[in-house]
Tab-separated table of all heavy atoms in Angstrom:
chain	number	residue	atom	x	y	z
A	69	MET	N	-13.373	14.026	-0.718
A	69	MET	CA	-12.951	12.647	-0.609
A	69	MET	C	-11.501	12.641	-0.205
A	69	MET	O	-11.005	11.762	0.677
A	69	MET	CB	-13.146	11.787	-1.801
A	69	MET	CG	-14.578	11.508	-2.056
A	69	MET	SD	-14.693	10.543	-3.587
A	69	MET	CE	-16.381	10.611	-3.986
A	70	ALA	N	-10.692	13.593	-0.769
A	70	ALA	CA	-9.249	13.699	-0.512
A	70	ALA	C	-9.065	14.059	0.985
A	70	ALA	O	-8.215	13.491	1.701
A	70	ALA	CB	-8.571	14.687	-1.361
A	71	ASP	N	-9.899	14.965	1.550
A	71	ASP	CA	-9.826	15.421	2.906
A	71	ASP	C	-10.130	14.209	3.771
A	71	ASP	O	-9.461	13.990	4.693
A	71	ASP	CB	-10.815	16.543	3.182
A	71	ASP	CG	-10.424	17.911	2.611
A	71	ASP	OD1	-9.221	18.067	2.308
A	71	ASP	OD2	-11.343	18.770	2.567
A	72	VAL	N	-11.179	13.438	3.441
A	72	VAL	CA	-11.572	12.250	4.268
A	72	VAL	C	-10.334	11.296	4.316
A	72	VAL	O	-10.027	10.776	5.273
A	72	VAL	CB	-12.865	11.634	3.703
A	72	VAL	CG1	-13.017	10.281	4.285
A	72	VAL	CG2	-13.994	12.607	3.912
A	73	LEU	N	-9.757	11.010	3.151
A	73	LEU	CA	-8.676	10.042	2.961
A	73	LEU	C	-7.521	10.468	3.852
A	73	LEU	O	-6.949	9.694	4.597
A	73	LEU	CB	-8.275	9.758	1.522
A	73	LEU	CG	-7.153	8.840	1.356
A	73	LEU	CD1	-7.524	7.469	1.925
A	73	LEU	CD2	-6.816	8.704	-0.060
A	74	VAL	N	-7.127	11.762	3.670
A	74	VAL	CA	-5.963	12.265	4.530
A	74	VAL	C	-6.228	12.136	5.970
A	74	VAL	O	-5.315	11.727	6.744
A	74	VAL	CB	-5.671	13.777	4.095
A	74	VAL	CG1	-4.639	14.389	5.005
A	74	VAL	CG2	-5.181	13.736	2.670
A	75	TYR	N	-7.375	12.563	6.550
A	75	TYR	CA	-7.677	12.454	7.923
A	75	TYR	C	-7.829	10.924	8.278
A	75	TYR	O	-7.273	10.559	9.455
A	75	TYR	CB	-8.980	13.170	8.297
A	75	TYR	CG	-8.651	14.634	8.403
A	75	TYR	CD1	-9.159	15.551	7.578
A	75	TYR	CD2	-7.887	15.113	9.548
A	75	TYR	CE1	-8.934	16.910	7.820
A	75	TYR	CE2	-7.619	16.444	9.710
A	75	TYR	CZ	-8.200	17.458	8.786
A	75	TYR	OH	-7.942	18.643	9.017
A	76	LEU	N	-8.334	10.069	7.483
A	76	LEU	CA	-8.307	8.645	7.767
A	76	LEU	C	-6.919	8.049	7.906
A	76	LEU	O	-6.686	7.298	8.934
A	76	LEU	CB	-9.192	7.845	6.831
A	76	LEU	CG	-9.452	6.449	7.138
A	76	LEU	CD1	-10.082	6.248	8.503
A	76	LEU	CD2	-10.329	5.793	5.999
A	77	VAL	N	-6.128	8.390	6.897
A	77	VAL	CA	-4.755	7.908	7.018
A	77	VAL	C	-4.049	8.475	8.264
A	77	VAL	O	-3.267	7.747	9.040
A	77	VAL	CB	-4.011	8.227	5.642
A	77	VAL	CG1	-2.534	8.075	5.861
A	77	VAL	CG2	-4.581	7.409	4.572
A	78	GLY	N	-4.337	9.697	8.560
A	78	GLY	CA	-3.785	10.294	9.832
A	78	GLY	C	-4.264	9.649	11.137
A	78	GLY	O	-3.515	9.425	11.937
A	79	LEU	N	-5.527	9.288	11.090
A	79	LEU	CA	-6.012	8.553	12.287
A	79	LEU	C	-5.402	7.227	12.366
A	79	LEU	O	-5.022	6.824	13.564
A	79	LEU	CB	-7.570	8.445	12.101
A	79	LEU	CG	-8.252	7.731	13.312
A	79	LEU	CD1	-8.020	8.547	14.666
A	79	LEU	CD2	-9.796	7.702	13.075
A	80	ALA	N	-5.279	6.553	11.355
A	80	ALA	CA	-4.512	5.273	11.306
A	80	ALA	C	-3.133	5.418	11.832
A	80	ALA	O	-2.609	4.520	12.655
A	80	ALA	CB	-4.628	4.589	9.910
A	81	ASP	N	-2.487	6.477	11.455
A	81	ASP	CA	-1.111	6.783	11.874
A	81	ASP	C	-1.081	7.008	13.336
A	81	ASP	O	-0.219	6.444	14.058
A	81	ASP	CB	-0.626	7.918	11.044
A	81	ASP	CG	0.978	8.211	11.313
A	81	ASP	OD1	1.684	7.180	11.493
A	81	ASP	OD2	1.472	9.303	11.182
A	82	GLN	N	-2.032	7.754	13.855
A	82	GLN	CA	-2.046	8.047	15.298
A	82	GLN	C	-2.297	6.815	16.113
A	82	GLN	O	-1.839	6.725	17.277
A	82	GLN	CB	-3.219	9.064	15.574
A	82	GLN	CG	-2.863	10.487	15.147
A	82	GLN	CD	-1.796	11.126	15.936
A	82	GLN	OE1	-1.812	11.001	17.191
A	82	GLN	NE2	-0.808	11.677	15.278
A	83	CYS	N	-3.166	5.882	15.536
A	83	CYS	CA	-3.482	4.650	16.322
A	83	CYS	C	-2.631	3.463	16.014
A	83	CYS	O	-2.917	2.319	16.546
A	83	CYS	CB	-4.936	4.316	15.957
A	83	CYS	SG	-6.062	5.652	16.530
A	84	GLY	N	-1.587	3.616	15.085
A	84	GLY	CA	-0.709	2.514	14.765
A	84	GLY	C	-1.338	1.419	14.001
A	84	GLY	O	-0.966	0.205	14.211
A	85	VAL	N	-2.331	1.758	13.174
A	85	VAL	CA	-3.097	0.863	12.381
A	85	VAL	C	-2.565	0.758	11.015
A	85	VAL	O	-2.357	1.923	10.357
A	85	VAL	CB	-4.572	1.192	12.377
A	85	VAL	CG1	-5.275	0.280	11.306
A	85	VAL	CG2	-5.210	1.053	13.757
Side-chain angles (χ1 to χ4, degrees):
M69 286 181 197
D71 287 342
V72 168
L73 179 60
V74 169
Y75 278 112
L76 182 59
V77 168
L79 181 59
D81 191 27
Q82 287 293 313
C83 296
V85 170

